């Protein structure tokens, strides 16, 4: 049972807003606030005295089709309103939120920005983003390990997005599962930090293969860690030779200008 | 553990089809999961048994085909087996490899049981 509203939903993602503990929407296919109750399937007693006929039916169905179709719907909506969407992916602690805190004030001068935050629990990240004065919504996935297209579809309905804006989606910190789920974004941005291993792209190749852009964060710490930037970049390029590459520090701001320019170019070109 | 949400979507998809066909239960599900699809078949089977509880596919057997990955070299065009995304062309040593197969993840078919004479 859901602790907040007392409904019978015992799992599934929940949308939250920072600073408003009453706001609470379950993600469901039938629209917000409408809890989806799974019907109880009575187990039918099989009559073993009758002959059973079995037959095989061809399906040829992509297992991720449902998510992919919904992601395309999201994508169409974003395209129609000229909203540029970036999906940020990394392990926990690579600095996704810090990077957003750094870049958003710089971009905001010319472009409206909104953020969707994904975490298993808490609205901590959404609170940090809200302090920047941009619209933000938190998705708490509960036991879920990734965001999916349905969660984004629901979250977008709760966010007042402006035409010609930038939407940043911060996925759940996880380098495995989110790689498989298209959300309808324009590009995927994978972030690694120099406090991780430089072989990360080889250890988690699916994520690096799916990404369009890789950001190496925390380069201000390079003097203190055994991290080989050249080797890491080489590893990333082995997995995905189309990957674009940036090195920066969200803390000191070093290298952020080049990435800002990249985003502004993308915003102009769309 | 994305396998759980994937198991649930498989159960949902086959349930819909089986009901459409008037099935009494689903006895088998044939899946194709490429070696590069990012899905662990064993983990999926484990999750499936939980996801299928109380549905038509509760007793269904999962038959999983796992096609090998195939890469195409962007330099010389050679096709060769790959087991990772960071493959290297065995002929020209190029790293500009495009995966052409091994990422498929498809429900191929289901076997349903129905009452004779219905």
């Amino acid at each position: 049972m859901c602790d907040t509203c007392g409904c019978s939903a015992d799992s599934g993602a929940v949308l939250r807003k920072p600073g408003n503990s009453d706001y609470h929407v379950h993600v469901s296919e039938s629209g917000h606030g409408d809890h989806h109750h799974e019907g109880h399937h009575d187990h039918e007693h099989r009559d073993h005295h009758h002959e059973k006929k079995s037959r095989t039916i061809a399906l040829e169905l992509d297992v991720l089709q449902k998510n992919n179709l919904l992601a395309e719907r999201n994508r169409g909506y974003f395209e129609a309103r000229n909203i540029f969407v970036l999906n940020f992916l990394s392990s926990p602690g690579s600095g996704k939120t810090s990077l957003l805190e750094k870049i958003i004030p710089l971009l905001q001068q010319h472009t409206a920005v909104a953020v969707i935050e994904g975490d298993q629990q808490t609205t901590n990240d959404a609170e940090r983003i809200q302090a920047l004065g941009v619209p933000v919504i938190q998705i708490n996935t509960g036991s879920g390990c990734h965001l999916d297209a349905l969660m984004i579809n629901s979250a977008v309905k709760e966010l007042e997005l402006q035409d010609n804006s930038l939407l940043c989606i911060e996925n759940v910190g996880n380098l495995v599962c989110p790689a498989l789920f298209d959300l309808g974004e324009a590009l995927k941005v994978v972030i690694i930090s120099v406090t991780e291993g430089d072989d990360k792209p080889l250890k988690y190749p699916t994520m690096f293969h799916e990404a369009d852009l890789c950001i190496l964060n925390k380069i201000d710490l390079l003097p203190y860690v055994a991290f080989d930037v050249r080797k890491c970049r080489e590893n990333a390029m082995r997995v995905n030779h189309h990957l674009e590459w940036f090195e920066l520090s969200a803390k000191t701001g070093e290298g952020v200008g080049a990435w800002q320019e990249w985003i502004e170019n993308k915003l102009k070109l769309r | 553990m994305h396998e759980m949400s994937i198991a649930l979507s498989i159960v949902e998809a086959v349930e819909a089809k089986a009901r459409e066909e008037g099935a009494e239960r689903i006895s088998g599900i044939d899946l194709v999961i490429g070696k590069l699809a990012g899905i662990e078949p064993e983990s999926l089977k484990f999750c499936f048994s939980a996801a299928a509880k109380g549905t038509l596919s509760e007793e269904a057997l999962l038959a999983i085909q796992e096609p090998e990955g195939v890469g195409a070299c962007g330099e010389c065009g050679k096709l060769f087996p790959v087991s990772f995304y960071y493959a290297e062309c065995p002929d020209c040593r190029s790293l500009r490899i495009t995966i052409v197969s091994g990422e498929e993840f498809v429900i191929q078919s289901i076997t349903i049981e129905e009452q004779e004479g219905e």
Side-chain angles (χ1 to χ4, degrees):
Chain A
M1 192 174 91
C2 168
D3 295 336
T4 310
C5 68
C7 77
S8 63
D10 50 4
S11 63
V14 177
L15 307 181
R16 294 182 198 275
K17 283 180 180 168
N20 180 359
S21 55
D22 292 336
Y23 178 89
H24 164 95
V25 174
H26 287 273
V27 173
S28 76
E29 289 170 72
S30 39
H32 65 259
D34 193 3
H35 305 302
H36 184 66
H37 292 279
E38 273 297 320
H40 178 71
H41 301 281
D42 282 313
H43 199 76
E44 288 160 39
H45 292 283
R46 284 179 210 108
D47 191 349
H48 292 286
H49 300 294
H50 288 276
E51 275 293 297
K52 294 286 194 300
K53 198 170 70 176
S54 76
R55 69 189 160 101
T56 300
I57 304 162
L59 239 76
E60 298 283 347
L61 182 73
D62 186 335
V63 176
L64 294 170
Q65 188 194 40
K66 208 173 149 193
N67 184 76
N68 292 344
L69 286 176
L70 195 51
E72 284 304 331
R73 263 176 62 189
N74 292 347
R75 188 166 282 120
Y77 172 80
F78 295 138
E79 279 174 10
R81 299 196 53 196
N82 201 26
I83 298 167
F84 185 57
V85 185
L86 294 174
N87 181 4
F88 291 83
L89 308 137
S90 82
S91 356
S94 297
K96 291 184 295 299
T97 314
S98 303
L99 195 58
L100 291 178
E101 284 178 310
K102 189 76 188 177
I103 197 78
I104 287 172
L106 300 172
L107 296 170
Q108 234 180 333
Q109 300 161 12
H110 307 290
T111 309
V113 185
V115 178
I116 296 175
E117 282 287 341
D119 281 299
Q120 282 201 311
Q121 292 296 341
T122 83
T123 53
N124 293 356
D125 283 357
E127 281 158 26
R128 284 169 63 185
I129 298 298
Q130 196 182 37
L132 306 173
V134 297
V136 58
I137 198 149
Q138 177 85 48
I139 301 174
N140 283 148
T141 56
S143 58
C145 51
H146 57 265
L147 296 180
D148 63 32
L150 177 63
M151 296 177 197
I152 298 306
N153 191 276
S154 305
V156 162
K157 287 173 188 158
E158 301 294 318
L159 262 181
E160 284 173 23
L161 292 176
Q162 291 183 36
D163 289 349
N164 312 311
S165 62
L166 168 71
L167 173 63
C168 298
I169 302 172
E170 186 183 326
N171 218 310
V172 178
N174 176 345
L175 270 182
V176 185
C177 315
L180 250 62
F181 294 84
D182 185 7
L183 305 179
E185 72 278 332
L187 297 170
K188 286 190 171 84
V189 182
V190 63
I191 299 162
I192 30 174
S193 58
V194 305
T195 50
E196 302 166 49
D198 47 33
D199 56 353
K200 229 165 207 176
L202 300 183
K203 285 179 168 170
Y204 300 93
T206 310
M207 181 61 80
F208 288 83
H209 187 257
E210 292 300 314
D212 300 283
L213 170 72
C214 180
I215 291 177
L216 179 64
N217 190 20
K218 307 188 188 177
I219 57 168
D220 54 306
L221 297 178
L222 276 173
Y224 313 105
V225 291
F227 185 94
D228 187 335
V229 174
R230 193 190 51 81
K231 208 163 110 194
C232 182
R233 182 175 181 169
E234 210 176 274
N235 287 337
M237 295 301 159
R238 290 188 72 167
V239 176
N240 176 0
H241 56 266
H242 297 293
L243 199 62
E244 296 196 64
W245 180 268
F246 287 91
E247 294 165 21
L248 54 81
S249 164
K251 189 176 175 214
T252 65
E254 186 186 350
V256 171
W259 184 47
Q260 180 188 348
E261 210 175 290
W262 179 89
I263 297 179
E264 284 172 346
N265 259 326
K266 292 278 178 200
L267 289 168
K268 254 184 251 159
L269 288 172
R270 66 192 160 153
Chain B
M1 272 294 274
H2 53 286
E3 277 82 1
M4 190 64 205
S5 58
I6 281 165
L8 286 164
S9 57
I10 293 174
V11 169
E12 204 180 313
V14 297
E15 186 90 355
K17 184 69 182 175
R19 287 197 184 278
E20 219 179 279
E21 299 284 336
E24 199 172 62
R25 66 184 193 105
I26 300 167
S27 55
I29 302 173
D30 286 319
L31 298 172
V32 179
I33 306 179
K35 290 249 167 90
L36 298 173
I39 306 292
E40 275 309 317
E42 279 315 307
S43 170
L44 181 65
K45 280 183 183 168
F46 179 76
C47 292
F48 184 84
S49 57
K53 277 254 147 45
T55 74
L56 294 182
S57 45
E58 183 159 12
E59 289 164 31
L61 289 176
L62 291 189
I64 302 178
Q65 273 183 64
E66 296 175 65
E68 298 288 338
V70 177
C73 176
E75 305 289 343
C76 72
K78 186 180 171 69
L79 292 175
F80 58 97
V82 293
S83 42
F84 302 106
Y85 280 120
Y86 43 98
E88 187 178 286
C89 176
D91 277 3
C92 71
R93 300 283 148 210
S94 168
L95 297 171
R96 299 177 73 85
I97 306 304
T98 306
I99 304 298
V100 292
S101 123
E103 292 180 302
E104 41 291 88
F105 186 19
V106 175
I107 307 171
Q108 195 85 303
S109 63
I110 57 175
T111 303
I112 58 167
E113 300 216 346
E114 49 195 358
Q115 205 66 273
E116 189 77 75
E118 270 184 358

